[in-house]
Amino acid sequence: MSQGTTFTKYITELGSKNPQIPASLLVSVANACKLIAKQVEQGALAGIIGSAGSGNVQGETQQKLDIISNDILLEACGLDQTLAGMASEEMETIFPANKNGSFLLLFDPLDGSSNIDVNVSIGTIFSILKKQTTGELTEKDFLQAGCDQVASGYVVYGPQTTLVYTTGQGVHMFTLDHETNEFLLIKENITISPDTKEFAINMSNMRHWDQPVKRYVDECLAGTEGARKKDFNMRWIASMVADVHRILCRGGVFMYPWDKRDPSKPGKLRLMYEANPMSFLIEQAGGASVNGKDRIMTLPAEKLHQRVSVVLGSKNEVDLIQKYHQGS
C-alpha cells in the first residue's frame, strides 16, 4: 500500500482478504498504545513517574506506568469480540475476555520501564495466538510455541511513537501522526542485513557470562587486529524494544545471555511476552533468534512466565554465536 496509509485501513484490508489475520484485535492494540503514548508523554506532569511501591509476579519493582499501561491494554482490548483472553508480564495469571473469542493476546505493557524516569525510549511488546481449544479458557491455551503465533509486534515510545508488526507476511512499520492520532505507514517489508558491525549487550555482566559469549564479545572488541578483522561498535539501551527497533532499522545483534549468577535460571527475558514476539519479527525480517543453541521459536512453552536467554539480529552474527554455543 502507499506510504501514509493508516494502520486501521492497512490491517482491515488485509483482514478482509484473510480471515486468519486478527485484524480488529491488532487495531485494538494500536488504539491502546496511542493511549499509553499519551501517558508516557505527560510523565511527571501527570504525576505518574516513579515506583508504584509494588512488585510484579517475578518480584520486580513496578513503575506507576507499568500498572497504568497494563490496565489500558486490558480495558481497550478486552472489548474486542475476537479476543478470548489475555496474559501479561505484570499479572500472575490469565485475564479472560470473551467466551466466543478465537484469539489470545500476550503482552509486556511497558518494556524497559527502568528508563521511564530518565526519558529514554520504552515500549509495548505484544504477541497474538489462535485459541486451539473450545470450552473454558485456561493457562494451557496460552502455552504455545513461538512458531504458532499469528501476529506479533511492538510500539516504541521515543522521539517518534512507532508501531512495528508482522502476521507472517513481512515486517511493516508505522509512525503515529499526533495531528490525526493515526499510525501512518512509513516502511513495508523491512529486512535486516545479514552482516553487521554493531552488538548490544550489558558489559557489566561480563564476568558472569558463559565462554561462548565471552569468546564472541572478545573477538568483537579485538577489532581489525583480531580474528574478525573488523571494528565493532557496542550499543546498549537497557530496553529490549528500543534495541530491537535499532536492529530492524540498521542491523546489529542483541544479546541477553544466560549467566552464572543464578545457574538454575535459563535466562532473564520472558519467552511468551518478549522473546517469542521479537523472534517472530526478527525472523520475518530475515534475521535469526536463538537461546544460544536452539531456535527460540521452537522452544516448548511450559509456563506463562518462563524465562529464556536471547541472541537475535543479523543472521550471520547470530549463526556464529550459535556455533560457538554448539562447540564448533
Side-chain angles (χ1 to χ4, degrees):
M1 297 185 192
S2 61
Q3 190 165 355
T5 301
T6 69
F7 179 73
T8 299
K9 179 180 179 181
Y10 189 97
I11 203 67
T12 300
E13 287 191 12
L14 287 180
S16 67
K17 299 173 184 176
N18 182 357
Q20 298 304 311
I21 291 176
S24 67
L25 181 53
L26 283 166
V27 171
S28 295
V29 171
N31 289 337
C33 290
K34 293 175 189 177
L35 298 174
I36 294 172
K38 183 63 67 176
Q39 294 290 320
V40 171
E41 284 177 24
Q42 291 295 304
L45 297 177
I48 53 176
I49 295 296
S51 172
S54 58
N56 63 17
V57 65
Q58 293 88 25
E60 299 162 334
T61 300
Q62 289 178 308
Q63 301 296 310
K64 293 176 183 177
L65 271 171
D66 284 322
I67 298 173
I68 291 169
S69 300
N70 192 76
D71 289 345
I72 287 173
L73 282 157
L74 291 177
E75 184 174 351
C77 298
L79 298 174
D80 191 289
Q81 293 302 306
T82 68
L83 179 65
M86 292 172 273
S88 166
E89 181 179 314
E90 300 299 329
M91 302 188 305
E92 183 174 358
T93 189
I94 62 173
F95 186 95
N98 300 292
K99 290 182 179 180
N100 297 323
S102 56
F103 294 108
L104 306 171
L105 175 65
L106 303 96
F107 53 82
D108 179 352
L110 208 61
D111 178 73
S113 56
S114 63
N115 285 321
I116 292 171
D117 292 357
V118 292
N119 200 25
V120 173
S121 294
I122 52 183
T124 298
I125 306 172
F126 62 90
S127 169
I128 299 175
L129 299 165
K130 184 80 171 177
K131 188 173 183 287
Q132 303 293 341
T133 63
T134 59
E136 186 177 352
L137 186 71
T138 69
E139 286 190 9
K140 289 184 178 179
D141 289 302
F142 290 81
L143 301 182
Q144 302 179 39
C147 57
D148 293 327
Q149 294 173 103
V150 295
S152 79
Y154 64 80
V155 174
V156 58
Y157 313 109
Q160 301 91 40
T161 297
T162 300
L163 182 155
V164 180
Y165 92 98
T166 186
T167 56
Q169 300 173 345
V171 178
H172 315 297
M173 186 179 295
F174 298 73
T175 291
L176 184 62
D177 179 351
H178 290 284
E179 292 187 4
T180 63
N181 199 36
E182 294 282 0
F183 281 107
L184 304 181
L185 178 66
I186 58 171
K187 293 181 183 178
E188 284 186 292
N189 299 310
I190 296 167
T191 58
I192 301 171
S193 169
D195 297 297
T196 185
K197 292 184 178 181
E198 287 190 349
F199 69 98
I201 195 168
N202 186 347
M203 290 291 288
S204 69
N205 294 328
M206 179 184 289
R207 67 191 184 280
H208 304 298
W209 296 338
D210 206 5
Q211 188 56 40
V213 177
K214 285 184 179 179
R215 176 184 176 184
Y216 175 78
V217 173
D218 284 345
E219 290 178 352
C220 292
L221 296 177
T224 55
E225 299 173 2
R228 302 300 306 279
K229 304 298 182 185
K230 63 179 180 180
D231 291 324
F232 283 77
N233 290 322
M234 191 191 81
R235 299 285 184 263
W236 183 251
I237 304 175
S239 167
M240 186 189 192
V241 71
D243 277 310
V244 169
H245 187 68
R246 184 188 61 252
I247 289 170
L248 282 171
C249 289
R250 70 184 194 199
V253 61
F254 168 88
M255 293 172 280
Y256 211 131
W258 174 89
D259 68 45
K260 299 174 182 176
R261 284 173 295 180
D262 190 344
S264 65
K265 287 185 178 180
K268 171 73 172 177
L269 299 179
R270 284 73 176 177
L271 177 66
M272 309 299 290
Y273 311 110
E274 296 166 317
N276 275 342
M278 290 306 202
S279 297
F280 193 15
L281 287 167
I282 291 294
E283 288 193 6
Q284 281 292 307
S289 181
V290 299
N291 68 349
K293 291 184 178 182
D294 302 310
R295 181 186 173 209
I296 283 177
M297 293 264 282
T298 62
L299 298 177
E302 297 170 346
K303 52 187 178 180
L304 280 180
H305 299 286
Q306 185 172 338
R307 295 181 186 256
V308 66
S309 302
V310 175
V311 176
L312 59 75
S314 295
K315 190 174 190 311
N316 289 344
E317 295 300 309
V318 175
D319 286 349
L320 179 62
I321 298 167
Q322 185 178 28
K323 288 178 181 177
Y324 289 173
H325 278 86
Q326 292 172 343
S328 301

